[in-house]
Amino acid sequence: EIAGEGWETKGVEAEFKDGPTPAAPSPASSLGLLVPPLPSPSPSPAVLKQLSRVARLTAQMQSHPLHSEPRREEILAAAEKAEALAAQAARLARKAGRAAGGAAGGQGRGAA
């Protein structure tokens, strides 16, 4: 048996039983607390232009009569339906005009 072997082992076992010792704060982390935060960079001209455009369009939307209308979605859906029906009516009128022009002896568009 080697002299002093039991003493060294007991010291190591005691250190591992209690868990790892907490690390001391590093000097770098302490210095980081002393440095003041940098100011935020100012927005670029392109960003300022976009912010201005968004503000202008937001004000324009809010001033529209439908903006505060509680049934806005219902009204918009009805307007879309009316637009689709008008487009369908125009398409059918063109189709009927071509059919009528073909029956009249081919004197449709472009005939003199």
mmCIF file of all heavy atoms in Angstrom, residues 14-71:
data_model
loop_
_atom_site.group_PDB
_atom_site.id
_atom_site.type_symbol
_atom_site.label_atom_id
_atom_site.label_comp_id
_atom_site.label_asym_id
_atom_site.label_seq_id
_atom_site.Cartn_x
_atom_site.Cartn_y
_atom_site.Cartn_z
ATOM 1 N N ALA A 14 -14.863 13.709 -1.177
ATOM 2 C CA ALA A 14 -15.610 14.769 -0.512
ATOM 3 C C ALA A 14 -16.002 15.848 -1.519
ATOM 4 O O ALA A 14 -17.101 16.378 -1.478
ATOM 5 C CB ALA A 14 -14.788 15.362 0.620
ATOM 6 N N GLU A 15 -15.120 16.153 -2.470
ATOM 7 C CA GLU A 15 -15.417 17.178 -3.470
ATOM 8 C C GLU A 15 -16.553 16.734 -4.382
ATOM 9 O O GLU A 15 -17.444 17.495 -4.718
ATOM 10 C CB GLU A 15 -14.167 17.467 -4.303
ATOM 11 C CG GLU A 15 -14.371 18.551 -5.335
ATOM 12 C CD GLU A 15 -13.122 18.830 -6.151
ATOM 13 O OE1 GLU A 15 -12.017 18.497 -5.713
ATOM 14 O OE2 GLU A 15 -13.282 19.393 -7.239
ATOM 15 N N PHE A 16 -16.585 15.464 -4.797
ATOM 16 C CA PHE A 16 -17.617 14.976 -5.702
ATOM 17 C C PHE A 16 -18.945 14.748 -5.004
ATOM 18 O O PHE A 16 -19.982 14.843 -5.611
ATOM 19 C CB PHE A 16 -17.159 13.694 -6.406
ATOM 20 C CG PHE A 16 -16.137 13.970 -7.467
ATOM 21 C CD1 PHE A 16 -14.851 13.480 -7.353
ATOM 22 C CD2 PHE A 16 -16.455 14.732 -8.571
ATOM 23 C CE1 PHE A 16 -13.908 13.735 -8.326
ATOM 24 C CE2 PHE A 16 -15.515 14.992 -9.549
ATOM 25 C CZ PHE A 16 -14.234 14.497 -9.430
ATOM 26 N N LYS A 17 -18.934 14.448 -3.697
ATOM 27 C CA LYS A 17 -20.178 14.234 -2.963
ATOM 28 C C LYS A 17 -20.979 15.529 -2.880
ATOM 29 O O LYS A 17 -22.192 15.533 -2.985
ATOM 30 C CB LYS A 17 -19.901 13.721 -1.545
ATOM 31 C CG LYS A 17 -19.576 12.265 -1.485
ATOM 32 C CD LYS A 17 -19.392 11.848 -0.053
ATOM 33 C CE LYS A 17 -18.947 10.406 0.043
ATOM 34 N NZ LYS A 17 -18.643 10.029 1.421
ATOM 35 N N ASP A 18 -20.334 16.647 -2.693
ATOM 36 C CA ASP A 18 -21.014 17.932 -2.549
ATOM 37 C C ASP A 18 -21.418 18.525 -3.900
ATOM 38 O O ASP A 18 -22.157 19.488 -3.963
ATOM 39 C CB ASP A 18 -20.120 18.933 -1.812
ATOM 40 C CG ASP A 18 -19.835 18.490 -0.387
ATOM 41 O OD1 ASP A 18 -20.645 17.707 0.146
ATOM 42 O OD2 ASP A 18 -18.813 18.917 0.174
ATOM 43 N N GLY A 19 -20.924 17.968 -4.971
ATOM 44 C CA GLY A 19 -21.210 18.499 -6.290
ATOM 45 C C GLY A 19 -20.105 19.450 -6.714
ATOM 46 O O GLY A 19 -19.214 19.783 -5.943
ATOM 47 N N PRO A 20 -20.150 19.891 -7.941
ATOM 48 C CA PRO A 20 -19.099 20.790 -8.424
ATOM 49 C C PRO A 20 -19.171 22.134 -7.717
ATOM 50 O O PRO A 20 -20.242 22.608 -7.356
ATOM 51 C CB PRO A 20 -19.374 20.930 -9.917
ATOM 52 C CG PRO A 20 -20.808 20.563 -10.082
ATOM 53 C CD PRO A 20 -21.144 19.617 -8.955
ATOM 54 N N THR A 21 -18.050 22.726 -7.542
ATOM 55 C CA THR A 21 -18.007 24.037 -6.909
ATOM 56 C C THR A 21 -18.439 25.080 -7.927
ATOM 57 O O THR A 21 -18.111 24.980 -9.101
ATOM 58 C CB THR A 21 -16.589 24.361 -6.404
ATOM 59 O OG1 THR A 21 -15.698 24.262 -7.506
ATOM 60 C CG2 THR A 21 -16.174 23.412 -5.313
ATOM 61 N N PRO A 22 -19.209 26.071 -7.507
ATOM 62 C CA PRO A 22 -19.651 27.097 -8.474
ATOM 63 C C PRO A 22 -18.458 27.882 -8.994
ATOM 64 O O PRO A 22 -17.537 28.192 -8.253
ATOM 65 C CB PRO A 22 -20.592 27.985 -7.667
ATOM 66 C CG PRO A 22 -20.283 27.717 -6.234
ATOM 67 C CD PRO A 22 -19.685 26.331 -6.168
ATOM 68 N N ALA A 23 -18.514 28.163 -10.286
ATOM 69 C CA ALA A 23 -17.418 28.900 -10.911
ATOM 70 C C ALA A 23 -17.527 30.372 -10.541
ATOM 71 O O ALA A 23 -18.610 30.936 -10.427
ATOM 72 C CB ALA A 23 -17.490 28.738 -12.428
ATOM 73 N N ALA A 24 -16.407 30.974 -10.343
ATOM 74 C CA ALA A 24 -16.365 32.412 -10.054
ATOM 75 C C ALA A 24 -16.702 33.166 -11.330
ATOM 76 O O ALA A 24 -16.423 32.698 -12.424
ATOM 77 C CB ALA A 24 -14.985 32.792 -9.551
ATOM 78 N N PRO A 25 -17.345 34.330 -11.218
ATOM 79 C CA PRO A 25 -17.648 35.093 -12.437
ATOM 80 C C PRO A 25 -16.366 35.455 -13.160
ATOM 81 O O PRO A 25 -15.378 35.838 -12.555
ATOM 82 C CB PRO A 25 -18.381 36.327 -11.932
ATOM 83 C CG PRO A 25 -18.154 36.385 -10.466
ATOM 84 C CD PRO A 25 -17.752 35.017 -10.018
ATOM 85 N N SER A 26 -16.418 35.309 -14.484
ATOM 86 C CA SER A 26 -15.220 35.626 -15.262
ATOM 87 C C SER A 26 -15.059 37.141 -15.349
ATOM 88 O O SER A 26 -16.030 37.887 -15.295
ATOM 89 C CB SER A 26 -15.332 35.026 -16.661
ATOM 90 O OG SER A 26 -16.318 35.708 -17.388
ATOM 91 N N PRO A 27 -13.819 37.578 -15.500
ATOM 92 C CA PRO A 27 -13.597 39.026 -15.617
ATOM 93 C C PRO A 27 -14.317 39.623 -16.824
ATOM 94 O O PRO A 27 -14.767 40.756 -16.787
ATOM 95 C CB PRO A 27 -12.082 39.161 -15.753
ATOM 96 C CG PRO A 27 -11.514 37.872 -15.284
ATOM 97 C CD PRO A 27 -12.582 36.839 -15.455
ATOM 98 N N ALA A 28 -14.460 38.851 -17.893
ATOM 99 C CA ALA A 28 -15.119 39.371 -19.105
ATOM 100 C C ALA A 28 -16.590 39.672 -18.827
ATOM 101 O O ALA A 28 -17.123 40.672 -19.301
ATOM 102 C CB ALA A 28 -14.991 38.374 -20.239
ATOM 103 N N SER A 29 -17.264 38.808 -18.054
ATOM 104 C CA SER A 29 -18.673 39.066 -17.783
ATOM 105 C C SER A 29 -18.843 40.267 -16.860
ATOM 106 O O SER A 29 -19.816 40.992 -16.932
ATOM 107 C CB SER A 29 -19.341 37.831 -17.189
ATOM 108 O OG SER A 29 -18.792 37.546 -15.919
ATOM 109 N N SER A 30 -17.891 40.502 -15.987
ATOM 110 C CA SER A 30 -17.963 41.671 -15.110
ATOM 111 C C SER A 30 -17.753 42.955 -15.902
ATOM 112 O O SER A 30 -18.398 43.960 -15.641
ATOM 113 C CB SER A 30 -16.903 41.578 -14.010
ATOM 114 O OG SER A 30 -17.111 40.411 -13.242
ATOM 115 N N LEU A 31 -16.855 42.913 -16.868
ATOM 116 C CA LEU A 31 -16.595 44.102 -17.686
ATOM 117 C C LEU A 31 -17.805 44.429 -18.567
ATOM 118 O O LEU A 31 -18.085 45.590 -18.831
ATOM 119 C CB LEU A 31 -15.366 43.886 -18.561
ATOM 120 C CG LEU A 31 -14.033 43.888 -17.827
ATOM 121 C CD1 LEU A 31 -12.906 43.564 -18.799
ATOM 122 C CD2 LEU A 31 -13.785 45.218 -17.157
ATOM 123 N N GLY A 32 -18.516 43.383 -19.015
ATOM 124 C CA GLY A 32 -19.686 43.602 -19.862
ATOM 125 C C GLY A 32 -20.762 44.403 -19.153
ATOM 126 O O GLY A 32 -21.511 45.139 -19.777
ATOM 127 N N LEU A 33 -20.827 44.266 -17.836
ATOM 128 C CA LEU A 33 -21.818 45.025 -17.080
ATOM 129 C C LEU A 33 -21.460 46.501 -16.988
ATOM 130 O O LEU A 33 -22.331 47.347 -16.771
ATOM 131 C CB LEU A 33 -21.960 44.437 -15.671
ATOM 132 C CG LEU A 33 -22.460 42.993 -15.615
ATOM 133 C CD1 LEU A 33 -22.399 42.474 -14.189
ATOM 134 C CD2 LEU A 33 -23.867 42.902 -16.156
ATOM 135 N N LEU A 34 -20.198 46.823 -17.158
ATOM 136 C CA LEU A 34 -19.749 48.208 -17.053
ATOM 137 C C LEU A 34 -19.924 48.990 -18.356
ATOM 138 O O LEU A 34 -19.951 50.213 -18.341
ATOM 139 C CB LEU A 34 -18.277 48.248 -16.633
ATOM 140 C CG LEU A 34 -17.960 47.626 -15.261
ATOM 141 C CD1 LEU A 34 -16.458 47.618 -15.038
ATOM 142 C CD2 LEU A 34 -18.657 48.388 -14.160
ATOM 143 N N VAL A 35 -20.051 48.287 -19.472
ATOM 144 C CA VAL A 35 -20.160 48.948 -20.776
ATOM 145 C C VAL A 35 -21.616 49.365 -20.986
ATOM 146 O O VAL A 35 -22.521 48.546 -20.910
ATOM 147 C CB VAL A 35 -19.716 47.998 -21.905
ATOM 148 C CG1 VAL A 35 -19.910 48.644 -23.265
ATOM 149 C CG2 VAL A 35 -18.276 47.590 -21.706
ATOM 150 N N PRO A 36 -21.878 50.636 -21.251
ATOM 151 C CA PRO A 36 -23.269 51.078 -21.464
ATOM 152 C C PRO A 36 -23.802 50.526 -22.788
ATOM 153 O O PRO A 36 -23.042 50.303 -23.725
ATOM 154 C CB PRO A 36 -23.159 52.598 -21.508
ATOM 155 C CG PRO A 36 -21.758 52.872 -21.913
ATOM 156 C CD PRO A 36 -20.925 51.729 -21.381
ATOM 157 N N PRO A 37 -25.107 50.297 -22.885
ATOM 158 C CA PRO A 37 -25.676 49.798 -24.145
ATOM 159 C C PRO A 37 -25.577 50.851 -25.238
ATOM 160 O O PRO A 37 -25.640 52.053 -24.975
ATOM 161 C CB PRO A 37 -27.134 49.505 -23.799
ATOM 162 C CG PRO A 37 -27.416 50.331 -22.589
ATOM 163 C CD PRO A 37 -26.115 50.490 -21.852
ATOM 164 N N LEU A 38 -25.408 50.377 -26.453
ATOM 165 C CA LEU A 38 -25.320 51.290 -27.593
ATOM 166 C C LEU A 38 -26.710 51.823 -27.930
ATOM 167 O O LEU A 38 -27.708 51.123 -27.766
ATOM 168 C CB LEU A 38 -24.750 50.556 -28.800
ATOM 169 C CG LEU A 38 -23.302 50.102 -28.672
ATOM 170 C CD1 LEU A 38 -22.915 49.270 -29.892
ATOM 171 C CD2 LEU A 38 -22.380 51.283 -28.541
ATOM 172 N N PRO A 39 -26.800 53.059 -28.410
ATOM 173 C CA PRO A 39 -28.110 53.586 -28.824
ATOM 174 C C PRO A 39 -28.594 52.849 -30.069
ATOM 175 O O PRO A 39 -27.790 52.355 -30.855
ATOM 176 C CB PRO A 39 -27.835 55.060 -29.117
ATOM 177 C CG PRO A 39 -26.364 55.132 -29.386
ATOM 178 C CD PRO A 39 -25.727 54.034 -28.588
ATOM 179 N N SER A 40 -29.888 52.772 -30.243
ATOM 180 C CA SER A 40 -30.457 52.126 -31.424
ATOM 181 C C SER A 40 -30.085 52.929 -32.662
ATOM 182 O O SER A 40 -30.093 54.164 -32.629
ATOM 183 C CB SER A 40 -31.974 52.062 -31.314
ATOM 184 O OG SER A 40 -32.352 51.301 -30.201
ATOM 185 N N PRO A 41 -29.779 52.244 -33.758
ATOM 186 C CA PRO A 41 -29.443 52.981 -34.984
ATOM 187 C C PRO A 41 -30.683 53.673 -35.535
ATOM 188 O O PRO A 41 -31.802 53.196 -35.377
ATOM 189 C CB PRO A 41 -28.954 51.889 -35.941
ATOM 190 C CG PRO A 41 -29.538 50.632 -35.416
ATOM 191 C CD PRO A 41 -29.713 50.811 -33.939
ATOM 192 N N SER A 42 -30.474 54.802 -36.165
ATOM 193 C CA SER A 42 -31.602 55.520 -36.757
ATOM 194 C C SER A 42 -32.038 54.793 -38.029
ATOM 195 O O SER A 42 -31.211 54.216 -38.734
ATOM 196 C CB SER A 42 -31.228 56.969 -37.054
ATOM 197 O OG SER A 42 -30.137 57.002 -37.944
ATOM 198 N N PRO A 43 -33.343 54.804 -38.327
ATOM 199 C CA PRO A 43 -33.829 54.098 -39.520
ATOM 200 C C PRO A 43 -33.280 54.729 -40.796
ATOM 201 O O PRO A 43 -33.053 55.938 -40.867
ATOM 202 C CB PRO A 43 -35.341 54.242 -39.454
ATOM 203 C CG PRO A 43 -35.661 54.918 -38.175
ATOM 204 C CD PRO A 43 -34.402 55.397 -37.565
ATOM 205 N N SER A 44 -33.115 53.905 -41.813
ATOM 206 C CA SER A 44 -32.615 54.383 -43.100
ATOM 207 C C SER A 44 -33.701 55.211 -43.792
ATOM 208 O O SER A 44 -34.875 55.115 -43.457
ATOM 209 C CB SER A 44 -32.219 53.191 -43.973
ATOM 210 O OG SER A 44 -33.379 52.484 -44.355
ATOM 211 N N PRO A 45 -33.324 56.005 -44.785
ATOM 212 C CA PRO A 45 -34.326 56.798 -45.525
ATOM 213 C C PRO A 45 -35.413 55.923 -46.166
ATOM 214 O O PRO A 45 -36.572 56.307 -46.204
ATOM 215 C CB PRO A 45 -33.509 57.532 -46.582
ATOM 216 C CG PRO A 45 -32.134 57.620 -46.001
ATOM 217 C CD PRO A 45 -31.963 56.369 -45.186
ATOM 218 N N ALA A 46 -35.043 54.752 -46.650
ATOM 219 C CA ALA A 46 -36.034 53.864 -47.271
ATOM 220 C C ALA A 46 -37.056 53.399 -46.232
ATOM 221 O O ALA A 46 -38.259 53.335 -46.509
ATOM 222 C CB ALA A 46 -35.344 52.667 -47.910
ATOM 223 N N VAL A 47 -36.587 53.081 -45.034
ATOM 224 C CA VAL A 47 -37.493 52.649 -43.963
ATOM 225 C C VAL A 47 -38.391 53.807 -43.553
ATOM 226 O O VAL A 47 -39.596 53.630 -43.343
ATOM 227 C CB VAL A 47 -36.698 52.093 -42.764
ATOM 228 C CG1 VAL A 47 -37.588 51.869 -41.562
ATOM 229 C CG2 VAL A 47 -35.991 50.802 -43.147
ATOM 230 N N LEU A 48 -37.838 54.999 -43.440
ATOM 231 C CA LEU A 48 -38.647 56.172 -43.091
ATOM 232 C C LEU A 48 -39.729 56.427 -44.134
ATOM 233 O O LEU A 48 -40.868 56.767 -43.797
ATOM 234 C CB LEU A 48 -37.754 57.404 -42.932
ATOM 235 C CG LEU A 48 -36.832 57.401 -41.710
ATOM 236 C CD1 LEU A 48 -35.894 58.598 -41.750
ATOM 237 C CD2 LEU A 48 -37.642 57.389 -40.426
ATOM 238 N N LYS A 49 -39.382 56.241 -45.412
ATOM 239 C CA LYS A 49 -40.352 56.437 -46.485
ATOM 240 C C LYS A 49 -41.484 55.415 -46.371
ATOM 241 O O LYS A 49 -42.661 55.763 -46.512
ATOM 242 C CB LYS A 49 -39.650 56.307 -47.841
ATOM 243 C CG LYS A 49 -40.533 56.586 -49.024
ATOM 244 C CD LYS A 49 -39.748 56.523 -50.321
ATOM 245 C CE LYS A 49 -40.634 56.798 -51.507
ATOM 246 N NZ LYS A 49 -39.887 56.739 -52.772
ATOM 247 N N GLN A 50 -41.137 54.158 -46.085
ATOM 248 C CA GLN A 50 -42.164 53.127 -45.933
ATOM 249 C C GLN A 50 -43.048 53.402 -44.716
ATOM 250 O O GLN A 50 -44.261 53.216 -44.771
ATOM 251 C CB GLN A 50 -41.515 51.740 -45.801
ATOM 252 C CG GLN A 50 -40.956 51.201 -47.087
ATOM 253 C CD GLN A 50 -42.030 50.946 -48.125
ATOM 254 O OE1 GLN A 50 -43.168 50.626 -47.810
ATOM 255 N NE2 GLN A 50 -41.673 51.114 -49.387
ATOM 256 N N LEU A 51 -42.446 53.831 -43.614
ATOM 257 C CA LEU A 51 -43.225 54.151 -42.416
ATOM 258 C C LEU A 51 -44.201 55.287 -42.688
ATOM 259 O O LEU A 51 -45.346 55.269 -42.230
ATOM 260 C CB LEU A 51 -42.295 54.512 -41.254
ATOM 261 C CG LEU A 51 -41.490 53.352 -40.659
ATOM 262 C CD1 LEU A 51 -40.486 53.872 -39.637
ATOM 263 C CD2 LEU A 51 -42.419 52.333 -40.035
ATOM 264 N N SER A 52 -43.752 56.276 -43.455
ATOM 265 C CA SER A 52 -44.616 57.396 -43.820
ATOM 266 C C SER A 52 -45.774 56.919 -44.689
ATOM 267 O O SER A 52 -46.924 57.312 -44.496
ATOM 268 C CB SER A 52 -43.799 58.454 -44.556
ATOM 269 O OG SER A 52 -44.628 59.446 -45.084
ATOM 270 N N ARG A 53 -45.466 56.041 -45.638
ATOM 271 C CA ARG A 53 -46.497 55.511 -46.532
ATOM 272 C C ARG A 53 -47.527 54.696 -45.745
ATOM 273 O O ARG A 53 -48.731 54.821 -45.960
ATOM 274 C CB ARG A 53 -45.840 54.647 -47.605
ATOM 275 C CG ARG A 53 -46.793 54.129 -48.651
ATOM 276 C CD ARG A 53 -46.090 53.351 -49.739
ATOM 277 N NE ARG A 53 -45.172 54.234 -50.444
ATOM 278 C CZ ARG A 53 -44.149 53.816 -51.183
ATOM 279 N NH1 ARG A 53 -43.888 52.545 -51.290
ATOM 280 N NH2 ARG A 53 -43.380 54.685 -51.794
ATOM 281 N N VAL A 54 -47.052 53.879 -44.823
ATOM 282 C CA VAL A 54 -47.962 53.066 -44.002
ATOM 283 C C VAL A 54 -48.852 53.968 -43.151
ATOM 284 O O VAL A 54 -50.064 53.734 -43.042
ATOM 285 C CB VAL A 54 -47.166 52.075 -43.123
ATOM 286 C CG1 VAL A 54 -48.041 51.448 -42.060
ATOM 287 C CG2 VAL A 54 -46.524 50.997 -43.978
ATOM 288 N N ALA A 55 -48.282 55.013 -42.556
ATOM 289 C CA ALA A 55 -49.069 55.930 -41.732
ATOM 290 C C ALA A 55 -50.136 56.636 -42.567
ATOM 291 O O ALA A 55 -51.287 56.779 -42.138
ATOM 292 C CB ALA A 55 -48.155 56.952 -41.059
ATOM 293 N N ARG A 56 -49.760 57.059 -43.781
ATOM 294 C CA ARG A 56 -50.701 57.744 -44.659
ATOM 295 C C ARG A 56 -51.848 56.813 -45.072
ATOM 296 O O ARG A 56 -53.024 57.186 -45.032
ATOM 297 C CB ARG A 56 -49.971 58.271 -45.895
ATOM 298 C CG ARG A 56 -50.818 59.150 -46.789
ATOM 299 C CD ARG A 56 -50.043 59.721 -47.967
ATOM 300 N NE ARG A 56 -49.695 58.676 -48.925
ATOM 301 C CZ ARG A 56 -48.460 58.243 -49.162
ATOM 302 N NH1 ARG A 56 -47.440 58.776 -48.533
ATOM 303 N NH2 ARG A 56 -48.229 57.282 -50.032
ATOM 304 N N LEU A 57 -51.524 55.561 -45.424
ATOM 305 C CA LEU A 57 -52.561 54.616 -45.845
ATOM 306 C C LEU A 57 -53.444 54.183 -44.678
ATOM 307 O O LEU A 57 -54.648 53.982 -44.846
ATOM 308 C CB LEU A 57 -51.922 53.400 -46.514
ATOM 309 C CG LEU A 57 -51.270 53.689 -47.866
ATOM 310 C CD1 LEU A 57 -50.557 52.458 -48.389
ATOM 311 C CD2 LEU A 57 -52.290 54.194 -48.864
ATOM 312 N N THR A 58 -52.858 54.075 -43.487
ATOM 313 C CA THR A 58 -53.652 53.742 -42.301
ATOM 314 C C THR A 58 -54.663 54.844 -42.020
ATOM 315 O O THR A 58 -55.841 54.571 -41.751
ATOM 316 C CB THR A 58 -52.737 53.524 -41.086
ATOM 317 O OG1 THR A 58 -51.837 52.450 -41.382
ATOM 318 C CG2 THR A 58 -53.529 53.178 -39.848
ATOM 319 N N ALA A 59 -54.238 56.088 -42.117
ATOM 320 C CA ALA A 59 -55.149 57.216 -41.906
ATOM 321 C C ALA A 59 -56.235 57.233 -42.977
ATOM 322 O O ALA A 59 -57.413 57.494 -42.679
ATOM 323 C CB ALA A 59 -54.374 58.532 -41.916
ATOM 324 N N GLN A 60 -55.856 56.917 -44.212
ATOM 325 C CA GLN A 60 -56.827 56.890 -45.303
ATOM 326 C C GLN A 60 -57.861 55.784 -45.069
ATOM 327 O O GLN A 60 -59.064 55.995 -45.280
ATOM 328 C CB GLN A 60 -56.093 56.658 -46.626
ATOM 329 C CG GLN A 60 -56.956 56.751 -47.851
ATOM 330 C CD GLN A 60 -56.140 56.556 -49.126
ATOM 331 O OE1 GLN A 60 -54.920 56.381 -49.081
ATOM 332 N NE2 GLN A 60 -56.802 56.593 -50.251
ATOM 333 N N MET A 61 -57.416 54.601 -44.616
ATOM 334 C CA MET A 61 -58.353 53.510 -44.336
ATOM 335 C C MET A 61 -59.297 53.872 -43.201
ATOM 336 O O MET A 61 -60.498 53.611 -43.267
ATOM 337 C CB MET A 61 -57.583 52.240 -43.929
ATOM 338 C CG MET A 61 -57.056 51.455 -45.076
ATOM 339 S SD MET A 61 -56.319 49.856 -44.630
ATOM 340 C CE MET A 61 -56.067 49.903 -42.895
ATOM 341 N N GLN A 62 -58.756 54.470 -42.156
ATOM 342 C CA GLN A 62 -59.582 54.805 -40.997
ATOM 343 C C GLN A 62 -60.596 55.892 -41.311
ATOM 344 O O GLN A 62 -61.641 55.970 -40.670
ATOM 345 C CB GLN A 62 -58.696 55.211 -39.824
ATOM 346 C CG GLN A 62 -57.935 54.030 -39.257
ATOM 347 C CD GLN A 62 -56.927 54.429 -38.206
ATOM 348 O OE1 GLN A 62 -56.594 55.594 -38.060
ATOM 349 N NE2 GLN A 62 -56.414 53.442 -37.488
ATOM 350 N N SER A 63 -60.320 56.723 -42.301
ATOM 351 C CA SER A 63 -61.267 57.789 -42.652
ATOM 352 C C SER A 63 -62.369 57.292 -43.591
ATOM 353 O O SER A 63 -63.353 57.996 -43.807
ATOM 354 C CB SER A 63 -60.524 58.961 -43.291
ATOM 355 O OG SER A 63 -60.023 58.589 -44.565
ATOM 356 N N HIS A 64 -62.245 56.100 -44.122
ATOM 357 C CA HIS A 64 -63.250 55.552 -45.036
ATOM 358 C C HIS A 64 -64.523 55.196 -44.251
ATOM 359 O O HIS A 64 -64.446 54.697 -43.135
ATOM 360 C CB HIS A 64 -62.701 54.311 -45.743
ATOM 361 C CG HIS A 64 -63.532 53.893 -46.901
ATOM 362 N ND1 HIS A 64 -64.663 53.130 -46.770
ATOM 363 C CD2 HIS A 64 -63.393 54.143 -48.227
ATOM 364 C CE1 HIS A 64 -65.193 52.922 -47.950
ATOM 365 N NE2 HIS A 64 -64.437 53.524 -48.865
ATOM 366 N N PRO A 65 -65.700 55.464 -44.829
ATOM 367 C CA PRO A 65 -66.955 55.193 -44.112
ATOM 368 C C PRO A 65 -67.143 53.722 -43.715
ATOM 369 O O PRO A 65 -67.744 53.435 -42.692
ATOM 370 C CB PRO A 65 -68.047 55.616 -45.092
ATOM 371 C CG PRO A 65 -67.390 56.393 -46.160
ATOM 372 C CD PRO A 65 -65.932 56.099 -46.119
ATOM 373 N N LEU A 66 -66.619 52.800 -44.486
ATOM 374 C CA LEU A 66 -66.796 51.383 -44.156
ATOM 375 C C LEU A 66 -65.888 50.910 -43.019
ATOM 376 O O LEU A 66 -66.121 49.848 -42.468
ATOM 377 C CB LEU A 66 -66.522 50.505 -45.378
ATOM 378 C CG LEU A 66 -67.657 50.332 -46.370
ATOM 379 C CD1 LEU A 66 -67.231 49.443 -47.517
ATOM 380 C CD2 LEU A 66 -68.887 49.776 -45.697
ATOM 381 N N HIS A 67 -64.892 51.689 -42.689
ATOM 382 C CA HIS A 67 -63.939 51.242 -41.665
ATOM 383 C C HIS A 67 -64.617 50.988 -40.321
ATOM 384 O O HIS A 67 -64.311 50.005 -39.646
ATOM 385 C CB HIS A 67 -62.804 52.258 -41.495
ATOM 386 C CG HIS A 67 -61.775 51.818 -40.515
ATOM 387 N ND1 HIS A 67 -60.878 50.829 -40.807
ATOM 388 C CD2 HIS A 67 -61.513 52.206 -39.249
ATOM 389 C CE1 HIS A 67 -60.102 50.624 -39.758
ATOM 390 N NE2 HIS A 67 -60.463 51.452 -38.799
ATOM 391 N N SER A 68 -65.539 51.845 -39.951
ATOM 392 C CA SER A 68 -66.200 51.688 -38.656
ATOM 393 C C SER A 68 -67.539 50.951 -38.766
ATOM 394 O O SER A 68 -68.232 50.792 -37.766
ATOM 395 C CB SER A 68 -66.410 53.064 -38.009
ATOM 396 O OG SER A 68 -67.203 53.863 -38.856
ATOM 397 N N GLU A 69 -67.884 50.497 -39.948
ATOM 398 C CA GLU A 69 -69.159 49.785 -40.164
ATOM 399 C C GLU A 69 -69.076 48.381 -39.567
ATOM 400 O O GLU A 69 -68.178 47.610 -39.901
ATOM 401 C CB GLU A 69 -69.444 49.691 -41.669
ATOM 402 C CG GLU A 69 -70.623 48.838 -42.056
ATOM 403 C CD GLU A 69 -71.937 49.373 -41.526
ATOM 404 O OE1 GLU A 69 -72.198 50.576 -41.665
ATOM 405 O OE2 GLU A 69 -72.696 48.571 -40.965
ATOM 406 N N PRO A 70 -69.988 48.020 -38.665
ATOM 407 C CA PRO A 70 -69.929 46.695 -38.047
ATOM 408 C C PRO A 70 -70.182 45.548 -39.037
ATOM 409 O O PRO A 70 -69.670 44.462 -38.857
ATOM 410 C CB PRO A 70 -71.011 46.718 -36.963
ATOM 411 C CG PRO A 70 -71.747 47.979 -37.111
ATOM 412 C CD PRO A 70 -71.040 48.845 -38.095
ATOM 413 N N ARG A 71 -70.944 45.805 -40.103
ATOM 414 C CA ARG A 71 -71.239 44.759 -41.094
ATOM 415 C C ARG A 71 -70.329 44.881 -42.313
ATOM 416 O O ARG A 71 -70.710 44.482 -43.419
ATOM 417 C CB ARG A 71 -72.695 44.856 -41.526
ATOM 418 C CG ARG A 71 -73.696 44.665 -40.414
ATOM 419 C CD ARG A 71 -75.092 44.838 -40.930
ATOM 420 N NE ARG A 71 -75.063 45.491 -42.258
ATOM 421 C CZ ARG A 71 -76.112 45.907 -42.918
ATOM 422 N NH1 ARG A 71 -77.294 45.770 -42.402
ATOM 423 N NH2 ARG A 71 -76.003 46.470 -44.094
#
